[in-house]
Amino acid sequence: MTFVPLTDTTIPFESTVQKHPPRFVTPHPPYEVFSAKVHHARELTKAGAEKRTYHFDLDVTDYPEESGTVDFVVGGAIGVCAPNSDEAVDDVFDSLGVPRFVRNKPITLKTTNGRWPTIWGDEMARELTTTRRELLTWCADIQSYPPSKPLFRVLAEYAHAPNEKKILQYLASAQGQAAFCDLRTGPHLTLNQILHAFPSSQPPLNRLIAVLSTLMPRFYSLSQDPLVSCHRDGSQCRRIIEMAVTVHETPNWRGGPRKGIGSGFMERVAHQAIAATDNGVNPLTLDLRVPMFRGLMANPLAREFCMDGPMMLIGSGVGIAPFRGFVHRRLASQNVTNKVWVVQGIRDSLLDEIYSGDWGVQEAKIKTIVQSRGGQHEYVQDSVRHQADIVWFLLNALDGRIFVCGSAKGMGEGVERAVVDVVIDKGNLNGEEAVAFLEGKKREGVYIA
């Protein structure tokens, strides 16, 4: 990878780095990332909640048509192309000693092979017009992955301080494997932290980016039925999709929390929209945008959802969001009472119960709230055992479904163990037989997690 000064200055170049990724950041060629206008945003959790969750209404009226019958579907997900924050990007530039007047200057990027800087483009050589800020903002992941040996080798090559060079060479060597593994499995290190730890190393930006991972999209489930969602703007019906995002935070090396790239970006957008609303300003006038694309419309939740048959929807935290769309879709055609059971796991119903009163149905008739910090101090897997008769009925009913959405480890594993216990008790099977029974139900599309 090389950076070459732009020789033909007559070629017009306009960067959209502050709002939208460059056109070559293509998620699924030949379609480009769509700039969805933020119609509305609000916080779903209350002050004091351990994790903050936000709801977004995105306008996709002008989303380009694709071949076949591809569309936004209930239970589907969208990909959000989130940028690295301006603060983190400028901190990397400062650490590398990149002059400010160079950061936004157009250059010609030349690559010899691979997909980068696209997401899933063809593997090929490329010659593109861009800027250093665009590449570092939209194309390189500077905080999601632990450091690699190629990164340490590049830093060692350009380190001027003898002690820093020796440490970096050791981490990149076979002799330093144990220390290298400790770094990767210990407290998470970001590129910014590593550059501050070895300030004498200032490799060229093209050499550094070449050993970083591609900044990938973040996927979020739709939280409503996209086929019936519409907002009237005068005489025109604007198509709106809804989603919920929980902010993920880990300790920051400078003190305080460090937010995830995707959730941190979405929270920054939400804060602007909420502040405008609080000040009596329509958020639409701010022209806030979320770069996104239609994706994962054939994931297990969307694929196995059916309009008929009883179902249990089990989710914890923001994992309950797609099931709101399931209930909305069922309400459009029939009564859900005694046909749909919702188990929602939260920490405290006073602080972090999301979408309370927003299911379009008398929630007490279909929904069980399980609180791990308040109430009975239980988890969703405990509720599964309490409702063993319903679980066993669903596993054997015609078109019965049990959907599980949440953390695969912990919550997902706990629910599966609880279902196995129900099968052992109700089916008079031993442990091995019960596990085989549930595996069969997974293959049949009855148990979807």
Side-chain angles (χ1 to χ4, degrees):
M1 179 199 311
T2 57
F3 295 162
V4 180
L6 195 63
T7 54
D8 189 354
T9 56
T10 62
I11 299 176
F13 174 77
E14 183 178 354
S15 175
T16 58
V17 66
Q18 297 300 329
K19 274 198 172 184
H20 199 70
R23 292 188 63 180
F24 54 74
V25 179
T26 307
H28 48 132
Y31 304 105
E32 300 174 3
V33 179
F34 179 72
S35 180
K37 194 168 187 176
V38 177
H39 192 274
H40 178 69
R42 71 181 191 272
E43 186 172 357
L44 296 174
T45 48
K46 306 294 192 302
E50 187 170 317
K51 292 183 178 181
R52 299 178 301 282
T53 301
Y54 296 90
H55 171 89
F56 297 87
D57 294 344
L58 304 181
D59 190 333
V60 294
T61 305
D62 301 320
Y63 194 93
E65 293 185 5
E66 298 181 18
S67 60
T69 58
V70 178
D71 199 358
F72 296 98
V73 299
V74 63
I78 62 171
V80 172
C81 292
N84 294 306
S85 69
D86 291 340
E87 294 77 12
V89 169
D90 280 323
D91 184 61
V92 171
F93 279 138
D94 292 341
S95 297
L96 298 178
V98 178
R100 291 188 177 274
F101 74 92
V102 170
R103 301 175 186 182
N104 299 303
K105 190 174 182 180
I107 57 171
T108 299
L109 167 70
K110 294 183 178 181
T111 64
T112 57
N113 198 6
R115 293 177 171 176
W116 192 87
T118 70
I119 300 174
W120 295 304
D122 295 332
E123 295 194 8
M124 56 182 286
R126 288 179 170 81
E127 187 169 323
L128 306 165
T129 301
T130 182
T131 68
R132 292 173 175 83
R133 184 176 295 279
E134 279 190 341
L135 294 175
L136 199 55
T137 299
W138 295 100
C139 304
D141 197 321
I142 62 177
Q143 74 170 53
S144 301
Y145 298 95
S148 64
K149 286 198 174 185
L151 172 61
F152 286 134
R153 291 192 188 100
V154 169
L155 293 178
E157 180 181 347
Y158 290 93
H160 299 299
N163 60 326
E164 293 182 15
K165 181 181 286 288
K166 191 170 184 179
I167 293 172
L168 290 165
Q169 289 174 334
Y170 178 73
L171 290 171
S173 69
Q175 294 79 7
Q177 182 66 21
F180 172 73
C181 290
D182 288 342
L183 276 180
R184 287 180 62 87
T185 58
H188 190 63
L189 299 178
T190 65
L191 176 64
N192 301 71
Q193 183 175 357
I194 294 172
L195 291 177
H196 280 272
F198 301 98
S200 77
S201 180
Q202 294 184 329
L205 184 62
N206 61 307
R207 289 291 309 277
L208 181 65
I209 289 181
V211 295
L212 297 178
S213 298
T214 302
L215 183 56
M216 299 300 290
R218 272 55 178 169
F219 289 94
Y220 301 99
S221 297
L222 302 181
S223 62
Q224 107 284 23
D225 181 0
L227 297 183
V228 299
S229 182
C230 174
H231 176 80
R232 293 211 167 270
D233 182 11
S235 60
Q236 184 181 16
C237 181
R238 307 295 299 178
R239 189 173 189 190
I240 304 296
I241 59 172
E242 302 176 20
M243 58 182 281
V245 178
T246 291
V247 180
H248 294 277
E249 294 180 329
T250 56
N252 188 12
W253 63 282
R254 283 175 162 165
R258 177 177 64 83
K259 301 169 185 175
I261 292 177
S263 61
F265 164 68
M266 295 303 296
E267 184 175 49
R268 293 194 296 273
V269 173
H271 281 173
Q272 295 179 70
I274 294 171
T277 302
D278 291 344
N279 291 322
V281 177
N282 188 339
L284 290 173
T285 61
L286 302 182
D287 195 31
L288 299 174
R289 301 281 176 160
V290 172
M292 51 75 64
F293 58 92
R294 182 192 291 125
L296 294 182
M297 292 300 147
N299 66 61
L301 292 183
R303 187 176 61 249
E304 299 298 341
F305 172 77
C306 61
M307 288 298 295
D308 299 314
M311 61 183 181
M312 176 175 280
L313 312 173
I314 306 169
S316 64
V318 75
I320 202 69
F323 298 146
R324 174 174 171 259
F326 282 28
V327 173
H328 287 174
R329 172 62 66 86
R330 282 292 188 91
L331 282 172
S333 60
Q334 58 184 313
N335 185 1
V336 299
T337 305
N338 298 324
K339 294 180 181 179
V340 177
W341 294 265
V342 180
V343 180
Q344 181 176 3
I346 57 178
R347 290 179 176 83
D348 188 327
S349 62
L350 297 178
L351 300 177
D352 52 15
E353 180 184 352
I354 67 173
Y355 291 126
S356 176
D358 198 13
W359 291 73
V361 67
Q362 289 184 317
E363 297 175 19
K365 293 183 178 180
I366 69 165
K367 192 168 71 168
T368 301
I369 297 295
V370 184
Q371 303 180 69
S372 61
R373 303 283 174 85
Q376 300 297 318
H377 297 279
E378 291 185 332
Y379 296 91
V380 288
Q381 51 264 42
D382 298 316
S383 182
V384 168
R385 293 186 176 93
H386 296 332
Q387 302 185 64
D389 289 336
I390 296 175
V391 172
W392 181 244
F393 161 71
L394 291 168
L395 289 172
N396 295 281
L398 179 65
D399 290 331
R401 297 284 193 277
I402 297 177
F403 292 92
V404 183
C405 187
S407 173
K409 290 188 176 182
M411 177 266 188
E413 294 172 347
V415 170
E416 186 165 325
R417 285 195 298 269
V419 173
V420 169
D421 289 344
V422 170
V423 173
I424 292 173
D425 179 45
K426 298 298 181 180
N428 292 321
L429 303 177
N430 61 36
E432 186 175 333
E433 292 170 335
V435 170
F437 176 87
L438 185 57
E439 289 300 320
K441 293 300 179 181
K442 291 180 182 179
R443 291 191 295 271
E444 295 170 11
V446 175
Y447 183 84
I448 304 100

